[in-house]
Amino acid sequence: MQLTTTWPEPVGSKLWRASFVAPASAMPGLLEAVEELAVSTSIFEHEADESAETVSWRVDLITDEQPDLEALRRTLAPRCEAFGFALGELEAEAIPDTDWLAATAMSHPPVIAGRFAVHGAHARDEVPEGLLRVQVEAGLAFGSGEHATTQACLEALDRVATVRRFRRVLDLGCGSAVLGMAAARCSPCRVIAADNDPVAVRVAAENVAINGMSARIRCLVSEGYAAPALRRAAPYDLVLANILADPLCAMAGDLARHLAMGGMAILSGFLDRQVETVARAHRAHGLRVRWQFDRTPWAALVVERPGGH
């Protein structure tokens, strides 16, 4: 265990960042438990497993004065223990004015997939003309368009939008709501953006507001299709589900029941070697595979409920 007890002198800034790592199982409760300790709290993905599932988060506490790390450790340790883990390394550093925007904005360039460009505010001017823009800011990192599965879904959405008009859309396991917002960019639809993680839903709502879509996209907490508001909004013309192979297969029947006749679903979050398993599970419920999009070693499928159109 190492404590950082010296920091660089702040350059024109009085903001400081104290950071530690917490397991994914501690969220979102831990984040709420430490909010009072800082003027701003954020979490960023620290480690993910081979299926891109988050294993741990880096928690950043932004303060307006240099933190006393020993005192902060005494305050944090019992709160961490209450969520089943021991506080490890605790570090702090000054945040110069010149670094503040970089610390709070996405650092990557725009992600281009199909007609869509996913970008942060800092990269707005880097987006080529003619693309459909979706702005996603950092802070709580629940998908910024960089992962190959998100890009495959955006490419699939671009294709689907050329052959189907959709009025009711479900973004299931929405994360930052990138896919739901992209659907709203290319069609005058209403969107339900749902996730089983309350932190993700909060982030999604913030991103939806940034994009001026709060009147068209409703963000809510739901374990799969369980939320009453999600069920009431069915049937959906389009379902977007970038999750994992096992839950997609387990929910194939729910998808079929909530999909309109002639409706389509874009499924991803699985490896190319799992394509047939996912396809077979959905065919068993009367859905047929329309297209496949590959971003090796990941893949996305577009499935359709026959009838309607």
Side-chain angles (χ1 to χ4, degrees):
M1 183 184 300
Q2 177 182 349
L3 288 178
T4 301
T5 55
T6 60
W7 304 270
E9 289 297 318
V11 180
S13 173
K14 295 182 180 179
L15 292 173
W16 294 77
R17 174 174 49 228
S19 304
F20 64 96
V21 175
S25 59
M27 301 301 169
L30 177 67
L31 189 65
E32 298 171 354
V34 302
E35 280 184 331
E36 66 183 77
L37 304 179
V39 296
S40 174
T41 58
S42 300
I43 59 174
F44 299 82
E45 188 175 68
H46 176 72
E47 182 183 3
D49 61 23
E50 62 180 12
S51 63
E53 188 78 6
T54 301
V55 174
S56 60
W57 297 95
R58 188 189 84 228
V59 182
D60 284 359
L61 306 178
I62 307 301
T63 62
D64 54 8
E65 61 182 14
Q66 180 175 336
D68 180 334
L69 280 183
E70 292 293 348
L72 183 58
R73 173 173 287 279
R74 288 194 297 271
T75 302
L76 284 172
R79 302 185 191 204
C80 293
E81 290 173 3
F83 286 93
F85 74 101
L87 177 64
E89 185 174 345
L90 179 64
E91 299 180 331
E93 62 179 348
I95 305 174
D97 282 342
T98 53
D99 290 344
W100 178 240
L101 288 177
T104 56
M106 293 193 304
S107 59
H108 57 69
V111 174
I112 310 298
R115 290 178 290 159
F116 303 102
V118 184
H119 64 91
H122 71 291
R124 188 180 294 112
D125 294 339
E126 300 175 35
V127 177
E129 291 294 327
L131 295 180
L132 300 174
R133 298 164 176 257
V134 176
Q135 182 174 325
V136 179
E137 296 306 333
L140 292 153
F142 283 93
S144 54
E146 291 184 292
H147 198 276
T149 57
T150 306
Q151 295 171 30
C153 287
L154 289 171
E155 291 175 352
L157 175 59
D158 192 14
R159 174 75 67 85
V160 167
T162 66
V163 298
R164 286 285 187 274
R165 292 180 59 84
F166 34 89
R167 296 174 298 165
R168 297 180 300 275
V169 176
L170 171 63
D171 183 0
L172 187 65
C174 64
S176 58
V178 166
L179 299 179
M181 290 188 292
R185 279 281 184 253
C186 63
S187 178
C189 57
R190 296 280 181 172
V191 181
I192 296 289
D195 202 288
N196 63 0
D197 188 333
V199 177
V201 173
R202 188 173 74 186
V203 174
E206 291 171 356
N207 284 321
V208 166
I210 288 171
N211 286 268
M213 296 180 174
S214 297
R216 297 174 55 201
I217 301 179
R218 180 180 180 184
C219 302
L220 54 84
V221 176
S222 182
E223 189 66 49
Y225 293 81
L230 185 156
R231 296 199 301 270
R232 286 195 299 268
Y236 297 98
D237 306 305
L238 176 66
V239 174
L240 306 155
N242 185 10
I243 311 178
L244 292 169
D246 288 346
L248 285 174
C249 292
M251 292 188 292
D254 287 329
L255 171 61
R257 285 187 291 274
H258 288 82
L259 199 59
M261 298 293 288
M264 290 184 168
I266 298 173
L267 313 174
S268 194
F270 47 87
L271 299 168
D272 47 16
R273 60 180 170 79
Q274 297 173 301
V275 165
E276 181 52 35
T277 298
V278 174
R280 184 167 56 249
H282 289 80
R283 284 196 295 263
H285 291 278
L287 304 176
R288 64 186 181 195
V289 175
R290 184 74 179 267
W291 294 301
Q292 178 175 334
F293 294 80
D294 295 316
R295 285 268 182 158
T296 305
W298 303 93
L301 291 176
V302 177
V303 301
E304 181 179 37
R305 183 180 179 188
H309 296 281

